Amino acid sequence: MLEQVGQQIAGTGFCVLLADRDCRVVASVYADGTIRRAVERLGVFDGALLGEDSAGTNAVGTPLETGRSMVIHGDEHFLESFKGLSCYGHPVIHPVTKRVEGILDMTGVAAHANPLFAPFLARAASDIEARLLEGSKASERRLVDAFQRISHHKHVAVAAISDDFLLTNRTAMDVLDTEDHATLRELALDLGADGSRVVAVDLASGIRAKVKADRVAGADGGALFTVFADKQRSPIRRSEQSSRRQRYEHDVRLARTDAGALSISGEPGSGRTTAAAEVAGEGPVRWHNATSIAFDGVDDWTRRLVDAGRQPGVIVVEDVELVPETLLPILTDLVSTPRDGHRVVLTGAPMSHLPTATAALVSRCPNRLHLTPLRERRSEMAELARTMLDDVAPGVRLAPSALDALASAHWPGNFAELKVVLTSAADARSSDRIDVADLPEDYRSSTRASRLGGREQAERTAIIDALKTCGGNKSHASMQLGISRSTLYARMRALDVTC
């Protein structure tokens, strides 16, 4: 491709550079030796980094950050050494993923600039994008070929899954449900090139199955799944499908039988109130939310708390981090002094987010239950969303693409946010199925984030948290993360982080 471009720019006195998503020059062609020597003296050669963090405003780093074509003449460059150049930069965008894959740059002496260079470069970028599309189609054909080789076997469920499509044979249609498609995508994440693994899986129907997952070479992350279902096994209850859910239920049972004070920690919306109610059981429960102190007044709220401490039953103090420090001794006494027939349950933010005095109070609780945020439970999204949807709109199901979109969201509001989204989608649907178009607009993007592995998910979360802490300032966020700004931009694109 670049060889053809090299022939077309002969005699112009310009060169064309191709850079990757890290702003690293990976290929170049030159109209003549003069322009080659000129740009190489400026430190521009194959392997050079031209991100904005190292070269300032230029026709490689700037188009990568803005996602659009740029023309930068003379003094518009940041580096003094570049100010004698005219540069044209155009992003190369993958036609399927819509991600910027690289930058095509045309550079030469400013005196030789020509307005026709910009459309010429745009056409060259379009040719590269067309080849990327052909490559995507070829990868899809490889996956389809692998599927067709074994899909005809009777009584064996076969599915082929990639980022953009799903193929199943008739047996798989009978065995696999929407939630199972999300489970299979998760299995594929840990497969290397030409990787293979066999695992036991509890399907959404409750049937136990052995799943063989095979990465298909050249299929751009696509994988082939062969599912051997054990028809003889009695279906298991949905609540037993998740080991995390099992651990949660086990912890709640233990907390319910222990009379000692209990702290329930987690982010807002993670189910702290629900967990407190499950621990309290059927006996008398007195709820005291610290947020009501602002409305009821300190004296009235304190009086009701002290009165509750004189009566048998469970005292639940919610949002304990909002309790004024002057009232903490009262709670400390309730937590530390055993009283027949009564128990204290505190709910609040994770220990690391609590004020020092409040953390000291919580540390006195002999029993603790931490609730995992929803963004760390993406592999369970199918089950969690289905369970919640059964309460919100019984009989309504989620399309696979809608599940993918939900799994890719960040969920700062956790389960409370998920309930709002599902309720809105259920009201917007036109059938008994929720599609991506039925979700609120901000939740319709089914991105690569839903298919990232555990390490990449953790990296994505760290970047999002750093950007949030720094108010969206990428320079400050990169310093907080200990990486360069160009690396931050590259990882944001790779992990589909928008800000």
Side-chain angles (χ1 to χ4, degrees):
M1 170 66 195
L2 282 187
E3 290 79 3
Q4 297 176 4
V5 172
Q7 296 173 4
Q8 294 170 343
I9 64 173
T12 63
F14 271 64
C15 66
V16 173
L17 312 174
L18 178 63
D20 62 15
R21 288 193 300 242
D22 294 325
C23 295
R24 187 184 304 275
V25 179
V26 296
S28 54
V29 291
Y30 302 86
D32 52 52
T34 301
I35 184 61
R36 176 194 287 270
R37 290 188 293 273
V39 297
E40 288 183 349
R41 281 197 299 269
L42 298 176
V44 179
F45 43 78
D46 289 2
L49 287 171
L50 295 175
E52 277 203 340
D53 61 326
S54 57
T57 302
N58 69 90
V60 174
T62 304
L64 190 70
E65 294 197 13
T66 62
R68 59 188 179 86
S69 60
M70 303 284 292
V71 179
I72 301 176
H73 294 302
D75 290 342
E76 294 174 350
H77 289 92
F78 174 77
L79 294 181
E80 191 68 31
S81 57
F82 284 5
K83 291 187 176 182
L85 303 176
S86 282
C87 303
Y88 305 79
H90 196 94
V92 178
I93 300 174
H94 197 292
V96 176
T97 65
K98 304 304 179 184
R99 292 195 301 266
V100 177
E101 296 294 335
I103 297 294
L104 205 57
D105 167 273
M106 190 168 182
T107 291
V109 178
H112 297 158
N114 189 314
L116 295 178
F117 287 163
F120 166 77
L121 200 64
R123 287 194 299 273
S126 296
D127 290 342
I128 295 176
E129 291 169 356
R131 297 193 181 197
L132 289 174
L133 180 60
E134 291 175 2
S136 296
K137 292 179 178 178
S139 68
E140 291 178 3
R141 286 196 296 270
R142 293 186 184 97
L143 189 56
V144 171
D145 290 342
F147 171 79
Q148 291 177 333
R149 283 195 292 269
I150 64 172
S151 62
H152 62 278
H153 293 299
K154 294 181 178 180
H155 311 304
V156 176
V158 180
I161 299 178
S162 74
D163 286 352
D164 302 308
F165 70 94
L166 165 71
L167 292 173
T168 61
N169 65 357
R170 184 179 297 275
T171 304
M173 292 174 62
D174 295 335
V175 172
L176 302 177
D177 204 346
T178 299
E179 294 92 329
D180 300 319
H181 300 155
T183 300
L184 296 183
R185 289 186 189 276
E186 292 294 327
L187 291 179
L189 291 176
D190 296 330
L191 295 175
D194 297 323
S196 180
R197 64 187 299 209
V198 178
V199 295
V201 173
D202 293 321
L203 301 179
S205 62
I207 295 175
R208 188 73 165 178
K210 181 174 69 174
V211 177
K212 184 174 184 292
D214 297 288
R215 178 78 73 189
V216 178
D220 194 23
L224 189 68
F225 300 91
T226 309
V227 183
F228 303 92
D230 182 2
K231 297 287 188 179
Q232 303 305 314
R233 180 182 171 97
S234 299
I236 60 176
R237 296 193 303 275
R238 180 175 300 278
S239 61
E240 295 176 345
Q241 290 181 39
S242 167
S243 59
R244 194 190 297 271
R245 179 68 184 179
Q246 285 179 308
R247 290 194 300 271
Y248 168 80
E249 292 178 348
H250 173 72
D251 292 342
V252 168
R253 285 194 298 270
L254 287 180
R256 189 181 295 135
T257 57
D258 194 308
L262 167 70
S263 76
I264 300 175
S265 63
E267 296 178 358
S270 59
R272 298 181 308 208
T273 300
T274 300
E278 292 178 355
V279 169
E282 300 297 329
V285 184
R286 294 172 177 82
W287 297 83
H288 302 269
N289 195 315
T291 58
S292 65
I293 294 176
F295 302 98
D296 301 339
V298 173
D299 293 341
D300 184 58
W301 193 87
T302 304
R303 178 184 55 76
R304 289 190 290 106
L305 178 65
V306 172
D307 289 344
R310 299 191 181 105
Q311 305 173 50
V314 178
I315 301 173
V316 179
V317 179
E318 295 194 273
D319 297 316
V320 67
E321 65 270 23
L322 301 180
V323 175
E325 190 170 340
T326 55
L327 300 186
L328 294 182
I330 299 175
L331 284 176
T332 300
D333 180 66
L334 289 173
V335 167
S336 306
T337 306
R339 292 176 173 84
D340 291 338
H342 106 353
R343 184 185 192 187
V344 177
V345 176
L346 307 177
T347 76
M351 183 76 82
S352 60
H353 291 64
L354 295 177
T356 302
T358 307
L361 164 67
V362 171
S363 67
R364 292 175 177 266
C365 296
N367 304 297
R368 299 178 192 177
L369 179 62
H370 178 71
L371 305 178
T372 306
L374 183 57
R375 65 177 174 275
E376 296 179 14
R377 303 180 65 177
R378 297 180 193 278
S379 62
E380 303 171 73
M381 179 56 72
E383 177 189 345
L384 295 171
R386 176 62 177 272
T387 301
M388 185 172 288
L389 191 58
D390 285 344
D391 293 332
V392 172
V396 177
R397 58 193 179 92
L398 281 159
S401 56
L403 269 176
D404 276 351
L406 293 178
S408 71
H410 188 51
W411 301 112
N414 290 292
F415 291 95
E417 182 182 0
L418 176 61
K419 185 174 183 178
V420 170
V421 170
L422 290 177
T423 301
S424 174
D427 292 340
R429 64 187 168 86
S430 57
S431 67
D432 63 352
R433 187 181 75 171
I434 292 176
D435 294 305
V436 171
D438 299 321
L439 297 174
E441 186 173 354
D442 290 344
Y443 299 85
R444 295 176 187 171
S445 176
S446 180
T447 68
R448 181 176 179 266
S450 64
R451 292 176 285 279
L452 297 177
R455 182 188 63 79
E456 289 181 314
Q457 288 285 7
E459 183 182 0
R460 185 174 190 269
T461 298
I463 290 174
I464 291 173
D465 289 344
L467 288 168
K468 182 178 179 181
T469 301
C470 299
N473 187 306
K474 298 179 181 64
S475 295
H476 293 171
S478 63
M479 287 188 289
Q480 178 176 312
L481 293 166
I483 58 179
S484 68
R485 196 155 66 110
S486 61
T487 299
L488 175 61
Y489 277 109
R491 296 312 295 158
M492 286 176 65
R493 286 188 296 275
L495 302 174
D496 217 29
V497 177
T498 58
C499 180

